[in-house]
Amino acid sequence: MKIFAYALRPYDELGYLDALSRELGFEYDWTADYPTLENAGLAAGADGVCIITNPMMPDLLAAYRELGVRGLATRSIGYDHIDLLAARELGIRVAHAAYPPEGVANYAIMLMLMALRKVKLVMRCAAAQDFSLAGKIGRDLSSCTVGVVGTGAIGACVVRHLQGFGCRVLACDPVERDELRALATYVSLPELLAASDVVTLHAPGLPENHHMIGRTELALMRQGAVLVNAARGSLVDTGALVEALESGHLGGAALDTIEHEEELCYLDRSRDALPNRDRAVLSALPNVIVSPHMAFYTDEDVAGMVRSNVEALLAFADGGETPYEVR
């Protein structure tokens, strides 16, 4: 059994993959480059290919199928960057990653705190030796109503951890979890938006969730409310969000992911003039935090991502079942 990994980071993921190869008994090879038609041949002889959040379109999938690849795993929970229909038609089984929810959940709560306390503005001023207080007064999370949109593993963890802050928690999800009913009140999305001081998104990036937060939804939010997104960029209509921020309707936003970031993560683009005006506009606003889609980035989560991908690809090679398969 052989695995070929693309876009593998030598400073963290490689160590986990190498340890797993000795523990579970498989061969592997890797490159730091993202998969393309030009470098698809690197995977020749591999049973499975491991990728990160880069587009996997029919032509690239077909190239891997011709090389004998039967399994594809992405080191991310989301898998909307993979053409699943094409993969099924080609007979390539697809898996996504699983990792402990605490890393992303706690990062989202950190973003809430930073936005409510205007940390970006405070630190910018401090760097310029402006130590005044005017315009920097914040809000206490404990006094807020927090709306959690999506109560899967990560959203549920956010609900549980918010209990320590003593804030009121609302939740919205098509599937309500009985174990959360004592911790949060389930309401409709419009009700949640209208009643929350902070709205945090933890819904999957499915087609039906595309721009689930648009102009209509943003208009429903409270004056001065904060929007947090540590899930998928496609959940928010960026243009509508910028309008809501520029008008002063929203008090701020804290975003670990935005639309059209596919060619950014996780690359050093510091010397490039980026063709991403949405990111430039959002980053320029003093009440908006934009981090580079790294809420998952903890030792525990990276280890979980690599292990779940490896276990899935081993199962695919053996013709077995795995809980990580995208069906």
Side-chain angles (χ1 to χ4, degrees), residues 73-114:
T74 177
R75 302 187 303 278
S76 59
I77 288 180
Y79 46 83
D80 51 303
H81 51 289
I82 301 171
D83 190 324
L84 296 176
L85 179 60
R88 291 191 184 102
E89 290 176 347
L90 290 165
I92 297 176
R93 296 172 71 181
V94 177
H96 65 144
Y99 49 81
E102 286 80 6
V104 176
N106 291 339
Y107 194 96
I109 293 173
M110 178 190 74
L111 290 177
M112 295 178 205
L113 293 165
M114 291 177 71

Side-chain angles (χ1 to χ4, degrees), residues 44-213:
D47 301 279
V49 165
C50 181
I51 64 166
I52 191 65
T53 52
N54 49 276
M56 296 297 291
M57 297 297 103
D59 55 349
L60 189 52
L61 291 168
Y64 287 122
R65 181 66 173 78
E66 285 294 316
L67 291 169
V69 171
R70 297 295 184 271
L72 175 71
T74 177
R75 302 187 303 278
S76 59
I77 288 180
Y79 46 83
D80 51 303
H81 51 289
I82 301 171
D83 190 324
L84 296 176
L85 179 60
R88 291 191 184 102
E89 290 176 347
L90 290 165
I92 297 176
R93 296 172 71 181
V94 177
H96 65 144
Y99 49 81
E102 286 80 6
V104 176
N106 291 339
Y107 194 96
I109 293 173
M110 178 190 74
L111 290 177
M112 295 178 205
L113 293 165
M114 291 177 71
L116 288 169
R117 297 302 299 269
K118 302 183 180 179
V119 167
K120 179 179 179 179
L121 175 62
V122 170
M123 297 308 293
R124 274 186 174 182
C125 290
Q129 298 182 178
D130 172 5
F131 308 123
S132 65
L133 294 176
K136 300 172 187 172
I137 194 167
R139 300 185 64 187
D140 188 350
L141 178 59
S142 300
S143 69
C144 293
T145 295
V146 179
V148 180
V149 180
T151 54
I154 293 172
C157 188
V158 170
V159 170
R160 291 193 298 271
H161 288 196
L162 283 174
Q163 305 309 304
F165 289 90
C167 47
R168 178 185 179 221
V169 181
L170 303 178
C172 175
D173 196 294
V175 180
E176 299 182 6
R177 300 177 67 149
D178 290 338
E179 67 271 23
L180 297 182
R181 294 184 189 280
L183 307 178
T185 302
Y186 276 98
V187 296
S188 68
L189 181 59
E191 290 176 291
L192 181 147
L193 295 173
S196 298
D197 302 293
V198 178
V199 174
T200 181
L201 305 180
H202 300 285
L206 301 174
E208 56 266 34
N209 289 338
H210 182 74
H211 285 184
M212 68 184 301
I213 304 297

